[in-house]
Short mmCIF file of all heavy atoms in Angstrom, two decimals:
data_model
loop_
_atom_site.label_atom_id
_atom_site.label_comp_id
_atom_site.label_asym_id
_atom_site.label_seq_id
_atom_site.Cartn_x
_atom_site.Cartn_y
_atom_site.Cartn_z
N LEU A 8 188.17 26.65 96.79
CA LEU A 8 189.16 27.45 96.24
C LEU A 8 188.78 28.07 94.88
O LEU A 8 189.50 28.91 94.32
CB LEU A 8 190.45 26.63 95.94
CG LEU A 8 191.05 25.89 97.22
CD1 LEU A 8 192.39 25.28 96.92
CD2 LEU A 8 191.20 26.91 98.35
N ARG A 16 196.66 30.05 95.22
CA ARG A 16 196.79 28.62 95.20
C ARG A 16 198.21 28.14 95.33
O ARG A 16 199.12 28.93 95.08
CB ARG A 16 196.12 28.06 93.93
CG ARG A 16 194.67 28.52 93.80
CD ARG A 16 194.05 28.14 92.53
NE ARG A 16 192.71 28.76 92.35
CZ ARG A 16 192.04 28.83 91.24
NH1 ARG A 16 192.48 28.20 90.17
NH2 ARG A 16 190.87 29.40 91.20
N SER A 72 210.82 10.15 112.67
CA SER A 72 210.10 9.76 111.45
C SER A 72 209.53 10.94 110.71
O SER A 72 209.00 10.76 109.56
CB SER A 72 209.02 8.67 111.76
OG SER A 72 207.94 9.32 112.45
N VAL A 83 199.90 23.73 105.69
CA VAL A 83 199.80 22.48 106.50
C VAL A 83 198.55 22.58 107.31
O VAL A 83 198.20 23.64 107.94
CB VAL A 83 201.00 22.35 107.50
CG1 VAL A 83 200.81 21.11 108.37
CG2 VAL A 83 202.29 22.28 106.68
N PRO A 90 197.87 12.85 122.44
CA PRO A 90 197.73 11.54 123.11
C PRO A 90 196.74 11.59 124.25
O PRO A 90 196.48 12.69 124.87
CB PRO A 90 199.18 11.31 123.67
CG PRO A 90 200.02 12.27 122.98
CD PRO A 90 199.21 13.45 122.61
N ALA A 107 210.04 23.26 111.31
CA ALA A 107 210.99 24.30 111.46
C ALA A 107 212.36 24.01 110.97
O ALA A 107 213.28 24.88 110.90
CB ALA A 107 211.02 24.74 112.91
N ALA A 111 209.97 27.36 106.79
CA ALA A 111 208.73 27.13 107.48
C ALA A 111 207.56 27.29 106.48
O ALA A 111 207.68 28.00 105.51
CB ALA A 111 208.55 28.08 108.61
N ARG A 156 200.73 28.79 118.13
CA ARG A 156 200.86 30.30 118.00
C ARG A 156 202.27 30.71 118.22
O ARG A 156 202.74 31.59 117.54
CB ARG A 156 199.92 30.95 119.03
CG ARG A 156 198.45 30.63 118.76
CD ARG A 156 197.59 31.12 119.91
NE ARG A 156 196.93 32.41 119.56
CZ ARG A 156 195.89 32.92 120.18
NH1 ARG A 156 195.30 32.20 121.18
NH2 ARG A 156 195.32 34.02 119.83
N PHE A 158 204.93 29.04 117.44
CA PHE A 158 205.62 28.64 116.29
C PHE A 158 205.39 29.70 115.18
O PHE A 158 206.33 30.15 114.51
CB PHE A 158 205.14 27.31 115.79
CG PHE A 158 205.66 26.82 114.47
CD1 PHE A 158 206.87 26.23 114.35
CD2 PHE A 158 204.84 27.04 113.28
CE1 PHE A 158 207.36 25.79 113.07
CE2 PHE A 158 205.38 26.61 112.04
CZ PHE A 158 206.61 25.95 111.96
N ALA A 166 199.79 31.32 111.35
CA ALA A 166 199.25 30.21 112.09
C ALA A 166 197.77 30.58 112.51
O ALA A 166 197.53 31.67 113.09
CB ALA A 166 200.06 29.96 113.41
N ALA A 183 174.36 10.57 115.95
CA ALA A 183 173.11 10.66 116.64
C ALA A 183 172.24 9.40 116.48
O ALA A 183 171.66 8.88 117.44
CB ALA A 183 172.29 11.88 116.26
N GLY A 188 169.83 4.71 118.81
CA GLY A 188 169.55 3.30 118.71
C GLY A 188 169.90 2.53 119.99
O GLY A 188 169.31 1.49 120.27
N PRO A 196 165.37 18.52 131.27
CA PRO A 196 165.45 19.89 130.87
C PRO A 196 166.06 20.83 131.92
O PRO A 196 166.81 21.75 131.57
CB PRO A 196 163.99 20.28 130.61
CG PRO A 196 163.35 18.91 130.20
CD PRO A 196 164.04 17.89 131.03
N TYR A 201 173.82 23.58 126.95
CA TYR A 201 173.96 23.94 125.51
C TYR A 201 175.14 23.18 124.96
O TYR A 201 176.21 23.09 125.53
CB TYR A 201 174.09 25.46 125.39
CG TYR A 201 172.85 26.23 125.60
CD1 TYR A 201 172.60 26.84 126.86
CD2 TYR A 201 171.94 26.36 124.56
CE1 TYR A 201 171.37 27.54 126.98
CE2 TYR A 201 170.71 27.04 124.74
CZ TYR A 201 170.50 27.68 125.94
OH TYR A 201 169.26 28.34 126.14
N ALA A 213 185.64 24.81 105.86
CA ALA A 213 186.32 25.83 106.70
C ALA A 213 187.79 25.58 106.75
O ALA A 213 188.62 26.45 106.69
CB ALA A 213 185.73 25.84 108.07
N THR A 227 189.28 31.05 115.22
CA THR A 227 187.97 31.16 114.55
C THR A 227 187.14 29.98 115.01
O THR A 227 187.56 28.84 115.04
CB THR A 227 188.08 31.09 113.00
OG1 THR A 227 188.98 32.15 112.60
CG2 THR A 227 186.74 31.19 112.36
N ASP A 232 174.74 27.57 113.06
CA ASP A 232 173.93 28.58 113.60
C ASP A 232 173.05 28.19 114.75
O ASP A 232 172.47 29.03 115.52
CB ASP A 232 173.05 29.18 112.56
CG ASP A 232 173.75 29.96 111.44
OD1 ASP A 232 174.93 30.40 111.69
OD2 ASP A 232 173.27 30.10 110.30
N ALA A 259 172.12 13.45 138.67
CA ALA A 259 172.57 12.46 139.59
C ALA A 259 172.37 11.02 138.98
O ALA A 259 173.25 10.19 139.11
CB ALA A 259 171.70 12.53 140.85
N SER A 271 181.46 14.15 130.98
CA SER A 271 182.19 15.43 130.90
C SER A 271 181.60 16.33 129.91
O SER A 271 181.61 17.58 130.10
CB SER A 271 183.74 15.14 130.55
OG SER A 271 183.84 14.65 129.21
N MET A 273 178.46 16.54 129.28
CA MET A 273 177.29 17.04 129.93
C MET A 273 177.51 18.02 131.06
O MET A 273 176.56 18.56 131.64
CB MET A 273 176.40 15.87 130.43
CG MET A 273 175.85 14.95 129.38
SD MET A 273 174.94 13.61 130.05
CE MET A 273 174.26 12.87 128.56
N ARG A 277 177.74 25.94 126.80
CA ARG A 277 178.14 27.16 126.16
C ARG A 277 177.46 27.32 124.80
O ARG A 277 177.17 26.27 124.11
CB ARG A 277 179.63 27.26 125.98
CG ARG A 277 180.23 25.98 125.41
CD ARG A 277 181.74 25.97 125.44
NE ARG A 277 182.25 24.73 124.98
CZ ARG A 277 182.61 23.71 125.79
NH1 ARG A 277 182.64 23.89 127.08
NH2 ARG A 277 182.99 22.55 125.30
N ARG A 283 182.99 35.27 113.15
CA ARG A 283 184.29 35.30 112.39
C ARG A 283 184.30 34.33 111.21
O ARG A 283 184.85 34.58 110.18
CB ARG A 283 185.42 35.06 113.33
CG ARG A 283 185.85 36.20 114.14
CD ARG A 283 187.20 35.83 114.92
NE ARG A 283 187.49 36.87 115.86
CZ ARG A 283 188.48 36.80 116.70
NH1 ARG A 283 189.30 35.74 116.76
NH2 ARG A 283 188.75 37.78 117.55
#
Side-chain angles (χ1 to χ4, degrees):
L8 304 185
R16 301 174 190 168
S72 71
V83 178
R156 295 173 102 162
F158 174 84
Y201 284 100
T227 303
D232 293 336
S271 69
M273 294 180 172
R277 51 188 171 261
R283 280 189 187 175

